[in-house]
Amino acid sequence: MKYYELIFTISPCSQDAQDVLSALAGEAGCETFEETATGLKAYIQQALFDEEALKLVLEGFPFENVTLSYSIQEAEDKDWNEQWEQEGFEPIEVRRKMEDGRGASLVIHDGRHLPSDISLEPSAIMIEIDAHLAFGTGTHETTRMICGMLLDMPLQGLRVLDCGCGTGILGICALKLGAESAVGYDIDEWSADNTRHNAVINQVDSRLQALCGDASVLSGFDAEFNLVMANINRNILLNDMAQFRSVMAPGAKLILSGFYKNDCALLESKAQTLGLSLQATRTDGEWACLLFTLS
């Protein structure tokens, strides 16, 4: 499979800017990323590359006084999927302390870097994520915040939707915490396949459906989801929120992340026009996560 290598230069370069850029480039079809001293390298299948789509998502780059440029070249012909798999990630633990002093936690690992160095709660829920060119291992602040919200919510028997599912981590997390069923979709076929793969690993494949496409796939569903989650960049959330709302059952909840604290007011305003009421806000560094309820 042939790839292009996109070399992004960010001036001045920062970790936050690199994180946002990788999220935006992912919306344009880029499948894996390498941080550099001056920005980011990204890789995309040549057959899927749409430069106009890339320019469109980059318009949402939220940093003032930062310049962004890129160049394109053919990538070295090698197995990028194998390279990604070899890297893996260290285990992540998301905890919740209950009123009686006991704890509950999720432990996310890659199946090779096992959580031997983490002081596990006896009831810790283990989630294994084998990331094949897809976003969502739990290492990013936005993913951890959503997982934390799920840990705090009663999910028993709920029907869940994961918009932009990546590795499938959020849907899998919800199912392991008691949700009845989950549907996920992603614009990237790699991600939809990876979600199915990880559902099998975590033995929830009979309850998780993964689709390839954008929010238009929701036209095939009625107002049947009790919980909708979306960890996507701000502009996509604003554009797709009405479609999220159209498939939410009465009293359903919506969790949004993938954006900065200074984007919260804009997203809350959009949600209010759709009959969604803000219930909770969480932040981690400059990143934010919002919880809404359908009135």
Side-chain angles (χ1 to χ4, degrees):
M1 188 175 296
K2 298 293 184 180
Y3 280 78
Y4 286 127
E5 179 182 75
L6 279 63
I7 303 174
F8 292 94
T9 300
I10 307 169
S11 181
C13 187
S14 67
Q15 184 64 59
D16 284 345
Q18 288 172 320
D19 288 342
V20 171
L21 177 57
S22 63
L24 292 173
E27 293 295 333
C30 293
E31 297 172 351
T32 191
F33 305 92
E34 297 178 22
E35 293 181 357
T36 68
T38 57
L40 203 69
K41 288 183 182 179
Y43 299 90
I44 187 170
Q45 295 178 43
Q46 292 185 12
L48 300 179
F49 181 55
D50 182 342
E51 190 167 8
E52 289 305 313
L54 176 65
K55 290 178 179 178
L56 183 63
V57 297
L58 292 182
E59 290 177 2
F61 196 66
F63 291 81
E64 295 182 1
N65 302 317
V66 171
T67 59
L68 180 64
S69 61
Y70 66 89
S71 61
I72 305 168
Q73 63 186 33
E74 287 200 11
E76 180 183 353
D77 190 12
K78 60 181 179 179
D79 188 347
W80 296 104
N81 190 63
E82 179 181 359
Q83 177 174 328
W84 177 278
E85 291 175 3
Q86 288 172 352
E87 293 179 0
F89 61 94
E90 292 301 316
I92 302 104
E93 185 174 22
V94 181
R95 290 189 177 210
R96 171 172 61 89
K97 191 170 184 178
M98 296 184 285
E99 292 181 359
D100 61 5
R102 294 181 299 143
S105 67
L106 294 164
V107 177
I108 303 160
H109 64 92
D110 65 2
R112 289 160 292 165
H113 301 84
L114 298 176
S116 56
D117 295 331
I118 297 179
S119 178
L120 297 176
E121 298 289 344
S123 60
I125 295 173
M126 310 294 286
I127 298 177
E128 181 177 341
I129 295 296
D130 185 13
H132 291 189
L133 298 174
F135 176 81
T137 60
T139 58
H140 197 274
E141 293 91 335
T142 58
T143 310
R144 291 199 305 268
M145 283 190 288
I146 295 179
C147 287
M149 279 195 172
L150 293 176
L151 197 58
D152 289 341
M153 297 171 62
L155 298 176
Q156 286 71 22
L158 300 190
R159 183 162 169 78
V160 174
L161 174 66
D162 181 6
C163 308
C165 54
T167 62
I169 184 172
L170 299 180
I172 292 168
C173 176
L175 291 169
K176 288 219 167 187
L177 288 169
E180 178 180 318
S181 63
V183 174
Y185 72 84
D186 201 290
I187 61 171
D188 180 6
E189 184 64 48
W190 283 103
S191 294
D193 287 343
N194 196 203
T195 290
R196 299 183 192 105
H197 172 70
N198 286 317
V200 171
I201 291 175
N202 289 276
Q203 300 180 349
V204 297
D205 51 301
S206 64
R207 296 186 287 145
L208 194 157
Q209 178 185 11
L211 306 172
C212 183
D214 58 20
S216 64
V217 303
L218 299 181
S219 62
F221 294 91
D222 296 322
E224 57 192 83
F225 294 102
N226 312 108
L227 173 64
V228 177
M229 304 173 287
N231 188 11
I232 317 175
N233 77 71
R234 182 198 68 182
N235 289 349
I236 299 296
L237 293 175
L238 290 169
N239 185 68
D240 293 352
M241 204 183 303
Q243 289 169 285
F244 302 161
R245 165 65 177 80
S246 71
V247 296
M248 293 172 65
K253 297 184 184 300
L254 172 66
I255 302 176
L256 301 179
S257 195
F259 50 86
Y260 280 91
K261 290 188 289 188
N262 58 12
D263 294 322
C264 288
L266 186 61
L267 288 159
E268 183 180 356
S269 176
K270 176 67 174 182
Q272 287 177 344
T273 68
L274 298 171
L276 297 162
S277 302
L278 182 65
Q279 301 297 309
T281 301
R282 291 189 181 182
T283 59
D284 188 341
E286 292 301 311
W287 297 97
C289 181
L290 301 175
L291 172 64
F292 297 95
T293 297
L294 179 59
S295 303

